[in-house]
Structures are given as structure tokens and as C-alpha cells.
Amino acid sequence: MMALILYFSRFIYFTLLTTLLSNLCCYSFNPKLLNVTKLESGSDWSPARASWYGNPSGAGSDGGACGYGNAVEAAPFSSLITAAASSLYNSGKACGTCFQVKCTSSKVCSGNPVRVVITDECPGCDSQSLLFDLSGTSFGTMATSGEADQLRNVGIEQIQYRRVECNFPGVSVAFRVDAGSNANYFATAVEYEDGDGVAGVELKQAADTGGAWLPMQQSWGAVWKVDLPSNYKPPFSIRLTAGGNNSGKTVVADKVIPANYNPGQTYRSLVNF
């Protein structure tokens, strides 16, 4: 009788153990339930192809399709800029936005991220499956120390990229007044804004403290324009509305455009996002 009881006890034990192991195997360690795939691919880097243009140690081309002129060579851009494929350039809406790029596919790649600013358009890049046409400086900066020329000799490189917010410590927003500005029309390029791009620009007579802001329209690249009402005189204040992750945030550059402004001149504000 005792032997029979022991037999059934062992049978029940092994049955329970087998069921438990089966459940652990089929459920507790299911990768989908643990979301292993998400943990392994949680990086926000994306693959792309990049080329470079202009002088090997330069800023691509002076100015470019965003309207920054020779500011592309000076701090804080410091030639670390890029032209973007038309799909990314987005009719100039991407002007002034920042990206990190890095290369790891070549032995001369450092793998370290380099921040670049979109200042130009590459109209033919999409047809060549290129997303970025970097300045020679930007492209070379992705290389290990002393290997910039060797990396540039590759011509086209597989890279990784991600969009980041711009951050220019100690630098305020600047306004490059368009050469065609006059008593009836005002246009300006917006430069060096921190954050994730500009979604809106407005203008107001600084003396008219209670007046309405005039909405400006994007003219081309980073240049915004507005037709001025009769007898609308500077000094002007400019209000910027941020885009991207900071969408809706505003800053006001009070009296940034002086009464005796000169078309073609750049005027720095005291503010930034």
C-alpha cells in the first residue's frame, strides 16, 4: 500500500514539474513578451549615404540655398555644415536644423558623432540615394585623427545620422537683412537659433507696444519676408516661434533692427531659445 502511495506521489510531482517547465519555455522566455527586439534596437540612429563637396577643408560653398552667406564659415557654424537632399531640405524648412552624423564602416572612421547644420540643398542627392552632401570639413571630421584626407578619398560613405537640437552656447539669434529690403518690404535670414528650427516669424514696430505682430512668410531657405503697411517704420522687433520638439515656444528680439538699418547687414539679438 505504501509503495502504491509513493508511486502516485512521484507521478503527480513529475507531472507538475513538466507542466511548469513547459510554461516557462513557451511563455516566460518568449522574446516578444520580454521585448528583446526593442531593447536591442532602441538606438535612434538611422542609416544613410553621404558625400562631400567644395574645398576639402572648407564649408562646401559660400552661402548656399538657405541664405546664410559667408556665415557658414564663421563660428558657430565653423564650416561644420551640410547640404541636404531635397526630400530632407523640404523647401527650406530644414534650414538651420542640426544633425549628428558618424561613420563606422571604414577603418579610418572614428565612430564619433559630428554635429552639422543644414545650410544648403543638394537637388541631385535623392536620385543618387544620398541624404547628406557634407562640407569637406564635416566629412573629414568623421575620420580618426590624421586620416581626414583618406576618408574624403572614399567620396561616398555609409553613415549613421540622427536629428538633434541645435545648441550654440553663448550665441544669440542673428538677423541678416535681405539686400532687397526697403520702406515697403522687409526680409531677413534667421541665423543661429537654438532648438529644432523656426516655425514662424513675426515683425512689429518697436515703438508700437500695443500693436499687432505682422506675420512673415518664408521667402526661400531661412529668409522670411513681409510687405510693410504705409508709414511702417523701424526700429523693428522680431518674434520667433520654435518648431520641432520646442513647437510653440517663442522669443522676442526687441528692437533688433535699428531705425537706420542697412540692407545686407547682420544684426545680433540678445535672445535665443
Side-chain angles (χ1 to χ4, degrees):
M1 187 66 174
M2 183 61 68
L4 186 59
I5 292 173
L6 290 172
Y7 171 80
F8 280 109
S9 297
R10 289 173 180 167
F11 175 79
I12 293 171
Y13 172 79
F14 283 114
T15 300
L16 290 173
L17 182 61
T18 302
T19 302
L20 178 60
L21 290 174
S22 176
N23 286 337
L24 286 172
C25 175
C26 297
Y27 297 100
S28 296
F29 295 104
N30 188 322
K32 292 183 179 179
L33 294 179
L34 289 176
N35 209 10
V36 172
T37 302
K38 184 175 181 180
L39 291 173
E40 290 178 347
S41 61
S43 171
D44 54 353
W45 292 93
S46 299
R49 292 194 341 137
S51 56
W52 65 277
Y53 73 120
N55 190 294
S57 58
S61 62
D62 284 343
C66 288
Y68 295 129
N70 57 11
V72 295
E73 298 178 355
F77 291 161
S78 303
S79 298
L80 291 173
I81 59 88
T82 184
S86 298
S87 57
L88 179 59
Y89 178 78
N90 193 18
S91 300
K93 293 180 176 61
C95 287
T97 56
C98 291
F99 287 79
Q100 283 184 333
V101 294
K102 64 180 180 179
C103 71
T104 57
S105 57
S106 170
K107 65 180 181 180
V108 296
C109 290
S110 70
N112 297 324
V114 178
R115 188 187 69 187
V116 296
V117 185
I118 291 181
T119 63
D120 202 356
E121 180 184 14
C122 178
C125 278
D126 284 309
S127 62
Q128 300 179 59
S129 298
L130 294 168
L131 193 60
F132 297 99
D133 196 14
L134 299 163
S135 68
T137 297
S138 299
F139 202 91
T141 305
M142 295 190 297
T144 56
S145 179
E147 302 292 347
D149 286 337
Q150 187 171 343
L151 181 60
R152 281 189 288 259
N153 286 339
V154 174
I156 295 176
E157 183 67 50
Q158 186 71 32
I159 67 163
Q160 292 178 291
Y161 76 98
R162 64 182 178 186
R163 186 162 175 168
V164 296
E165 290 191 358
C166 293
N167 182 23
F168 304 116
V171 178
S172 55
V173 179
F175 301 91
R176 180 186 295 267
V177 179
D178 189 81
S181 295
N182 54 55
N184 303 308
Y185 168 86
F186 182 81
T188 182
V190 182
E191 302 175 344
Y192 315 140
E193 69 276 7
D194 285 345
D196 202 12
V198 172
V201 182
E202 299 163 286
L203 184 80
K204 191 174 74 168
Q205 293 180 114
D208 190 4
T209 56
W213 289 91
L214 294 178
M216 302 181 72
Q217 291 79 43
Q218 184 189 17
S219 177
W220 59 279
V223 179
W224 295 72
K225 65 179 182 178
V226 64
D227 291 326
L228 300 176
S230 177
N231 203 35
Y232 206 83
K233 296 181 179 180
F236 295 139
S237 296
I238 298 178
R239 182 166 68 183
L240 304 178
T241 300
N245 294 331
N246 297 317
S247 181
K249 182 177 180 180
T250 62
V251 294
V252 175
D254 189 43
K255 301 178 184 178
V256 67
I257 307 300
N260 59 344
Y261 78 84
N262 293 313
Q265 185 71 36
T266 297
Y267 298 94
R268 287 190 177 272
S269 72
L270 299 176
V271 298
N272 212 328
F273 289 108

